[in-house]
Amino acid sequence: RKHKDSKMDDTELYRNAGRKTSSLLDTFGIPSAAFKTSLQFDRGGKRDLKQYLICYRPEDVTNRHLLLYNGIINYIPGLESELDHISSKKLNMIIAMVSKGMSDGKSADLSSVKHKGLQYIGLNMYSEANALDPPIPEIEDKSMRGLNHPQLAHLLCPWKKLVWFDEDPDSYVSGEITMMAHIWPTFFYEHGVYDAAEKTHGLFRNHIVLRFYKHLFIGPSSVMNDSSNVCNSVKPSKNRAWGLTAVNKYIIAYVHIIISLALLLLTYFMISSAQHWTRCIGDMDLDELLWAIIEMLDDDPWVKDTLAWWNRYIFLCG
């Protein structure tokens, strides 16, 4: 049935809230834990979402649950007013649908870009000189995966260890160079830019992440047409459907996680048999990486400039 405060039916409304939650707020959050903590905390009273967006610290589990809880409440019209009298059965159903939406949204995004996104990696997408060599075919035969692909492994290697990588790429692939959540990989930085004395220089400004954002939030045609204003699609973009008017730190973190997972799955198949959405591959905990990025994007002049850079290059589709 249609929800009284939405044109969607109830099931789709709850699943859509889950899709928004995973992309715009907390990719690895657990709605059931968030609701349990938050309802015990204040018996359903909605806290100020902006307060938690500003004051959140990932080591504070309660605050993380409150952040997720308030985000879901914000994405489901009318739910806040129902919480004082809602039945446990209905609330559990809502939480299950939100969780389903989160899972489906992440899986769909990863599936969408895992192979298509490979053409976004080269600085010039239309130059054979920038193409992946060897190419990675879009097939399910595990033997044809890019196990030790040098260009993809290079992107995942931390900037500070590139000299070591270039001297002996096999050491990196075999795990001698460990990729950790607080050591930024090369693709986190603007192409060819890294300054050990100024580690924020070029950080989160790579051409790859811009293209992945456009693919995920606007549509693949916006990448291939080098445009951010493709508004005539039959299916509305996430930007339009979700009313996004600016990129924030949570979205930037999500895009980096999607790319990291896609590259890890394609490059390190031998480390993990997972070929779908997962939190950990080898020593890399993507949940830790997500919140390390969010923490890095605190409110200071560098962050404001970085967000302005993103929004300048991504003319959000109205």
Side-chain angles (χ1 to χ4, degrees), residues 15-183:
R15 288 182 177 175
N16 189 57
R19 288 189 285 268
K20 292 173 71 173
T21 298
S22 65
S23 297
L24 307 180
L25 196 58
D26 187 348
T27 305
F28 296 96
I30 303 173
S32 58
F35 269 78
K36 180 179 180 180
T37 298
S38 302
L39 290 174
Q40 290 175 344
F41 186 82
D42 63 5
R43 303 307 304 164
K46 184 179 179 184
R47 296 282 171 167
D48 183 358
L49 177 61
K50 291 182 179 179
Q51 171 189 347
Y52 291 101
L53 291 176
I54 294 171
C55 299
Y56 173 81
R57 289 295 179 268
E59 65 272 11
D60 188 331
V61 176
T62 298
N63 269 359
R64 178 165 182 174
H65 287 169
L66 289 168
L67 176 68
L68 180 62
Y69 166 79
N70 280 291
I72 294 170
I73 293 292
N74 190 54
Y75 296 146
I76 302 177
L79 180 57
E80 179 186 4
S81 62
E82 293 185 56
L83 288 175
D84 288 334
H85 54 80
I86 195 171
S87 68
S88 296
K89 181 178 180 180
K90 182 175 181 182
L91 182 57
N92 287 336
M93 181 275 292
I94 291 173
I95 292 172
M97 289 297 98
V98 170
S99 299
K100 175 68 172 170
M102 290 182 69
S103 177
D104 289 349
K106 292 181 291 191
S107 296
D109 280 351
L110 178 61
S111 177
S112 174
V113 300
K114 193 166 64 173
H115 290 285
K116 181 78 171 178
L118 291 174
Q119 62 188 302
Y120 305 153
I121 289 174
L123 191 61
N124 184 339
M125 291 187 295
Y126 307 103
S127 169
E128 291 186 6
N130 286 173
L132 291 180
D133 183 21
I136 300 178
E138 186 174 350
I139 59 176
E140 293 304 318
D141 180 3
K142 297 175 183 179
S143 67
M144 295 296 290
R145 300 282 183 176
L147 299 183
N148 301 318
H149 201 286
Q151 287 157 284
L152 299 186
H154 187 275
L155 291 172
L156 288 168
C157 181
W159 256 108
K160 57 169 47 174
K161 298 182 178 181
L162 277 180
V163 174
W164 185 2
F165 175 90
D166 291 337
E167 291 177 352
D168 187 9
D170 290 339
S171 292
Y172 184 65
V173 174
S174 66
E176 292 181 28
I177 302 177
T178 303
M179 180 182 174
M180 303 295 289
H182 291 272
I183 305 175

